[in-house]
């Protein structure tokens, strides 16, 4: 995982340059490092991706990556593929490596 170091109140040195991070978190307040994130689209905002049903007790909140393999849509838990990355508020990882998301009302 790559990190970015906060520069503090001093100007950047001759071999440094500033970065802007819109989404991220402070990783280590002592070392002043941050990790940057990209916002993920809610999977349920895409028609046909989520089931309109209550989520089972073992559902999790996680990212899923969907891509087309041999003409079929395949989704995997996590972001390790070259397809479209979605976020699933209530989902389960199936034994075959696919992901099922459930439509739920977020508070």
């Amino acid at each position: 995982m790559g990190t970015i170091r906060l520069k503090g109140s001093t100007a950047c040195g001759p071999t440094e340059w500033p970065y802007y991070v819109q989404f991220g978190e402070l990783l280590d307040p002592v070392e002043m490092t941050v990790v940057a994130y990209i916002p993920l689209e809610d999977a349920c905002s895409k028609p046909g991706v989520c089931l309109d049903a209550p989520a089972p007790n073992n559902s999790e909140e996680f990212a899923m990556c969907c891509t087309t393999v041999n003409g079929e849509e395949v989704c995997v838990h996590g972001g390790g593929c070259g397809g479209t990355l979605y976020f699933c508020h209530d989902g389960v990882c199936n034994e075959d490596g696919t992901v099922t998301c459930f439509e739920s009302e977020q508070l």
Side-chain angles (χ1 to χ4, degrees):
M1 169 186 1
T3 58
I4 301 168
R5 186 173 302 279
L6 294 173
K7 81 174 189 74
S9 60
T10 61
C12 290
T15 61
E16 302 173 326
W17 53 91
Y19 285 95
Y20 171 76
V21 176
Q22 184 172 359
F23 300 98
E25 69 177 310
L26 183 62
L27 186 65
D28 185 336
V30 174
E31 294 291 321
M32 296 295 287
T33 55
V34 298
V35 61
Y37 300 120
I38 58 169
L40 298 179
E41 184 175 11
D42 184 349
C44 292
S45 69
K46 295 284 187 187
V49 173
C50 291
L51 295 178
D52 188 14
N57 289 340
N58 63 336
S59 68
E60 297 179 84
E61 198 171 316
F62 58 82
M64 66 177 188
C65 188
C66 296
T67 190
T68 304
V69 177
N70 299 325
E72 279 190 45
E73 184 87 357
V74 177
C75 296
V76 294
H77 187 240
C81 79
T84 304
L85 198 59
Y86 298 104
F87 180 76
C88 188
H89 283 285
D90 287 307
V92 292
C93 201
N94 303 313
E95 287 182 17
D96 63 357
T98 61
V99 175
T100 303
C101 288
F102 299 89
E103 191 75 55
S104 66
E105 198 171 305
Q106 299 303 310
L107 302 176

